[in-house]
Amino acid sequence: MKSKTFNCFIESLLYTTAVYLVFFHFSSFKYSFLAMNLHPLLIVIAIISLKYGTYMSGFVVSFSIIYYILSYIGLGRDMIIFFSSFEYYKFILMFFFTALFLGKLRDTTDQKIMHLEGEVSKTREDYEKQKENNVKLITINSRLKKRIISSRESIVTLNQIKSSFANMNVEQIYTEAILVMRQFLESDVVSIYSFNHEKNFMRLKLRAGNGRIPGFLQVKKDSVFDEVIKAGAPMEFPLDIEGDSPIFVSPIKNNDEILGFINIERMSLEASERYSYEMFKIITHWLNEALSEAFVKEEKEIKENYLKDTKIFTMGYFNKIMSEEERRKKLLGMDFMAFETKIEGVTPDEVAEMIKGKVRESDFMAMDDNKLRILFPATTAASKELLMEKIASLFHGIEVDFYEI
């Protein structure tokens, strides 16, 4: 803008000075300069006004008036007559109105050009956005087409999996449920929680992926899980950037009683679409029967495999759990830690008393006549030293030497 103003000032000064010199100062017809029908200064004003607009044409008008009055005074004329005679001051009015009219025309044209440039810019932005949306739509349609083509195979696969649940133990059912969710929904984090209606809290059974929802969770009023409990049906929730809340939640029900939840805590960005939620509802409906039976079966299975009245498992049952953890690590990348030590002259009742209230419900401990084993699911190798110190501290007065298995 400053550069444009400077250029207008210089051009106005140069053009009006040139007209003054050519048509008056060096002319032998000086008197005719004051009464030219098409005054050369008026032409200069028209050119500058059309080029720079109303406001900047003030320079050329000012210089034109100055040179016209200098010419008038240079011829020895009286200034009183100048302002009282229309013959002379009409040129001043002509200068002003020519600049105003032609400058306004230029301003209007500039405004239209700016408006059109804005429209062009907006159209280009809309075009780019539409282009991106079209690419996304093509990608989604391509993925949807693939899913539709494989839908018959998927239904057969689900039927086969559902049928195979009858021959699985509880831990295997949980693993298969997670595998199904990840296979069909491209989810990054899937979890299964049990729900204690009387105490109103949830306990993590199994999670695949790095989730942020705690393993033990009190269900608060108006929370995500409270809404699902009230609805008694699968629900979709807004994406939580922090990952503290799931995006899909389905209750695991036995008749009208909610026994737990299966959650999609996070999905790949490409998979987060309406189709995924509809698929989630279908799959969780298919899994509900097996998972609800697993929750009921779990209590019975655990009691049957405890040693006497303790919460220490038989070594046979422990080995089954251990095998399942090894399978989960291979299929889902879920780490675990397991330790063993020789132990003699101590009864399961005495061990149970030592560890009472000091071991998580999700951890597994088993013993036989000469050894004791402890399994920590969902635990990385980074915790090894800390865990060994912790379990060694549980057995005061007993000679134990734990090592990893």
Side-chain angles (χ1 to χ4, degrees):
M1 188 64 182
K2 290 182 179 179
S3 176
K4 191 175 180 181
T5 302
F6 178 76
N7 291 340
C8 180
F9 179 85
I10 295 300
E11 288 183 33
S12 298
L13 180 60
L14 289 176
Y15 294 161
T16 53
T17 301
V19 168
Y20 173 75
L21 293 175
V22 172
F23 290 94
F24 181 78
H25 187 74
F26 297 114
S27 175
S28 54
F29 303 99
K30 289 181 171 56
Y31 287 97
S32 63
F33 183 74
L34 299 179
M36 287 182 174
N37 286 330
L38 185 58
H39 206 284
L41 287 174
L42 193 64
I43 296 173
V44 171
I45 290 171
I47 294 171
I48 297 297
S49 298
L50 285 172
K51 185 175 181 180
Y52 291 101
T54 304
Y55 299 105
M56 293 189 188
S57 64
F59 292 128
V60 71
V61 171
S62 299
F63 290 139
S64 296
I65 291 173
I66 290 170
Y67 282 126
Y68 189 83
I69 292 176
L70 285 177
S71 302
Y72 183 85
I73 295 172
L75 293 174
R77 301 295 180 89
D78 190 346
M79 286 301 296
I80 296 175
I81 296 174
F82 179 86
F83 289 106
S84 61
S85 175
F86 181 72
E87 182 183 355
Y88 298 112
Y89 73 74
K90 70 179 180 180
F91 287 98
I92 305 299
L93 297 177
M94 290 169 62
F95 294 164
F96 271 115
F97 284 111
T98 299
L100 181 64
F101 176 75
L102 296 180
K104 184 65 176 176
L105 184 63
R106 173 66 188 192
D107 293 341
T108 302
T109 303
D110 287 344
Q111 289 176 359
K112 288 182 178 179
I113 290 172
M114 289 177 65
H115 176 72
L116 290 174
E117 286 177 346
E119 289 293 322
V120 170
S121 178
K122 186 176 183 301
T123 301
R124 284 176 179 169
E125 289 179 4
D126 292 341
Y127 170 76
E128 291 299 325
K129 288 180 181 178
Q130 188 61 44
K131 187 178 178 181
E132 290 178 8
N133 290 335
N134 287 343
V135 171
K136 289 180 181 178
L137 185 60
I138 291 170
T139 303
I140 291 171
N141 285 341
S142 177
R143 292 175 61 243
L144 186 57
K145 182 179 179 181
K146 290 179 182 177
R147 290 186 177 184
I148 290 172
I149 291 172
S150 63
S151 61
R152 291 183 179 178
E153 181 183 348
S154 300
I155 292 171
V156 172
T157 303
L158 283 172
N159 271 315
Q160 291 173 343
I161 293 171
K162 187 177 179 182
S163 300
S164 67
F165 283 162
N167 301 318
M168 296 180 184
N169 62 38
V170 171
E171 294 298 325
Q172 288 173 332
I173 291 174
Y174 293 150
T175 305
E176 287 301 322
I178 294 290
L179 285 171
V180 168
M181 300 303 290
R182 298 196 83 174
Q183 177 184 348
F184 289 94
L185 294 177
E186 300 178 29
S187 49
D188 292 335
V189 184
V190 187
S191 59
I192 298 175
Y193 280 79
S194 63
F195 176 62
N196 187 313
H197 189 271
E198 294 179 358
K199 297 181 180 179
N200 202 37
F201 78 88
M202 300 162 47
R203 183 167 73 88
L204 180 65
K205 289 293 184 183
L206 183 62
R207 175 187 284 132
N210 297 319
R212 291 173 54 92
I213 303 175
F216 289 87
L217 183 67
Q218 194 75 28
V219 178
K220 297 180 180 179
K221 186 178 180 181
D222 297 328
S223 66
V224 166
F225 296 102
D226 185 50
E227 290 186 37
V228 174
I229 291 170
K230 291 175 181 176
M235 293 186 68
E236 179 182 16
F237 297 93
L239 176 65
D240 181 3
I241 302 298
E242 299 297 327
D244 295 327
S245 180
I247 53 177
F248 301 157
V249 181
S250 179
I252 301 169
K253 300 170 66 177
N254 183 11
N255 296 324
D256 292 329
E257 182 183 2
I258 294 178
L259 304 179
F261 303 94
I262 184 164
N263 316 304
I264 300 296
E265 298 183 26
R266 189 170 65 246
M267 300 186 71
S268 63
L269 294 177
E270 294 180 356
S272 297
E273 51 194 64
R274 188 67 189 175
Y275 177 85
S276 297
Y277 176 58
E278 296 302 325
M279 196 68 175
F280 171 77
K281 290 195 294 183
I282 294 170
I283 294 173
T284 52
H285 175 74
W286 281 52
L287 292 176
N288 182 78
E289 182 181 348
L291 287 173
S292 62
E293 288 179 1
F295 280 126
V296 175
K297 184 180 177 182
E298 183 178 25
E299 292 186 19
K300 182 180 178 182
E301 191 174 280
I302 287 174
K303 288 179 181 179
E304 289 177 349
N305 288 281
Y306 276 150
L307 290 172
K308 299 180 181 179
D309 295 326
T310 69
K311 289 192 176 182
I312 300 174
F313 291 102
T314 63
M315 198 60 71
Y317 185 72
F318 180 92
N319 291 336
K320 287 182 180 179
I321 300 297
M322 181 83 166
S323 297
E324 190 60 25
E325 286 296 326
E326 291 172 345
R327 179 168 172 262
R328 288 171 181 173
K329 183 173 184 178
K330 182 179 180 181
L331 295 175
L332 301 171
M334 298 176 62
D335 290 325
F336 69 92
M337 295 293 295
F339 302 94
E340 180 181 281
T341 184
K342 290 183 178 181
I343 187 166
E344 296 178 354
V346 183
T347 66
D349 290 335
E350 290 172 332
V351 172
E353 189 62 32
M354 291 178 187
I355 66 171
K356 188 176 181 180
K358 299 177 182 178
V359 179
R360 299 179 305 178
E361 289 186 31
S362 57
D363 299 332
F364 296 88
M365 183 176 293
M367 66 180 294
D368 57 18
D369 294 335
N370 59 5
K371 63 177 176 278
L372 183 144
R373 289 182 174 180
I374 303 178
L375 171 66
F376 297 93
T379 305
T380 63
S383 307
K384 179 180 177 179
E385 297 300 327
L386 184 63
L387 285 174
M388 292 187 73
E389 291 178 8
K390 177 183 175 182
I391 59 180
S393 67
L394 298 177
F395 302 97
H396 285 296
I398 300 178
E399 186 176 343
V400 291
D401 183 19
F402 282 96
Y403 52 89
E404 185 180 358
I405 56 173

